[in-house]
Amino acid sequence: PEYEHSALTNEVHDSLVSDLYPPTAKQDLEIWVESMKAVKSLRTLCPAFTMPLKVKVTIGATWGAEK
């Protein structure tokens, strides 16, 4: 079925796999990237950890087929 929203569908090692809804894809990616960089649980567990985290986004038709 087709849905009118993006969804995170899987986690593979250190990658998140999602199904992006084209009209909101850019906004959804921005939210997910900022959430991944913030990592509230890590900051709570280790307040002294202040190093910025890098997030790389790749897009492909399937996982592993990024462009």
Side-chain angles (χ1 to χ4, degrees), residues 1 3 7 11-12 17-18 21-22 24 26-27 29 31-32 35 38-39 42 44 48-49 53 56-57 63 65-66:
Y3 301 100
E11 178 185 354
V12 180
V17 180
S18 61
Y21 181 59
T24 62
K26 183 178 178 185
Q27 179 183 4
L29 281 174
I31 292 168
W32 291 338
S35 297
V39 195
L42 174 63
T44 301
F49 185 87
L53 299 175
K56 177 183 169 190
V57 175
W63 182 79
E66 310 87 27

Side-chain angles (χ1 to χ4, degrees), residues 6-18:
S6 296
L8 289 173
T9 57
N10 196 8
E11 178 185 354
V12 180
H13 304 290
D14 63 348
S15 300
L16 296 177
V17 180
S18 61

